[in-house]
Amino acid sequence: MSLRNLPAAQALERPEGLHWDPPSDALERWAATATMAEAPGTIGIMDVIGTDSWTGEGVTAKRISGALRSIGSKPVTVSINSPGGDMFEGLAIYNLLREHPAEVTVKVMGLAASAASIVAMAGDRIEVGLGSFLMIHNAWGAVVGNRHDWRAAADIFEQYDAAMADIYAARTGQPVKEVAKMMDAETFMRASEAVDKGFADATFNDPTPSSDGASARADLSARRRLDALLAKDGMPRSERRRLMREALGTSGAAEPPATLRAGFDPAAALRLLETIRS
């Protein structure tokens, strides 16, 4: 068990046709800091929670479980910079960290939003870097189906929200109703605010991004920011992925920047889209 007495995340039903996608505003904030490198001796959660359908990357409970097995019964530091993603993967990672037999220290390096904020709550000690943010909100996803599926999904989403509110309330000491109001408002908290509200124990100085692989990471960051802006404009996930596949010249599988279609410049495309939107 964790050194802190935290509630276990309940096993919840996943509706048919449900697709998780990090909130567009969280994606936009995260993309600007996604180049940060994890520090040695930590488990780094520096991507979306779950598998990203267009990059093929992401942080899964399976990966975290393997990392914890290799660490053994020793203290662990978890560095987080993630816009969130699949709530079920987030709850599973939370439970894995909660049951770790030694102390778990969580450090928010840039952003811990949505499902990533649930993961952060598993820390015996939670620290947020100055200039970093922690965000909580209601369950967010897309459901495909008829009116009965949508009504059933709304009922199930209420259960998801209640389960997350219980975890936040247990970690912060705040009443569940107050936490639910914060979730309704989709609340972004800077470091000092997160400490004041009990979502973190302390702040630390903003870490310096690594320069290793800066060009490749900048390219990936540009693509993700472009994806975030398209999502913010209301373009469905399937259409965004189709456009990206065509631009990248791939069949849908993730490929490194070197395989980009000739002439496609994600940064230039991003600048053009931002100009059009402004």
Side-chain angles (χ1 to χ4, degrees), residues 17 35 50 78 96 106 200 213 252 262 264 266 277:
T35 60
V78 181
L96 286 169
V106 169
F264 177 69
R277 293 176 79 248

Side-chain angles (χ1 to χ4, degrees), residues 32-110:
T33 59
T35 60
M36 290 182 179
E38 61 188 76
T42 67
I43 295 177
I45 298 180
M46 302 289 180
D47 213 324
V48 298
I49 304 298
T51 303
D52 186 321
S53 63
W54 75 273
T55 66
E57 301 172 355
V59 180
T60 62
K62 181 179 179 180
R63 174 188 147 189
I64 300 302
S65 177
L68 289 172
R69 281 196 304 272
S70 68
I71 290 171
S73 301
K74 299 176 183 177
V76 60
T77 297
V78 181
S79 297
I80 299 178
N81 182 29
S82 170
D86 190 317
M87 189 197 72
F88 290 95
E89 288 291 318
L91 291 173
I93 295 170
Y94 164 87
N95 278 331
L96 286 169
L97 295 173
R98 172 185 168 274
E99 294 181 354
H100 187 65
E103 185 175 28
V104 174
T105 300
V106 169
K107 301 187 79 170
V108 179
M109 311 300 284

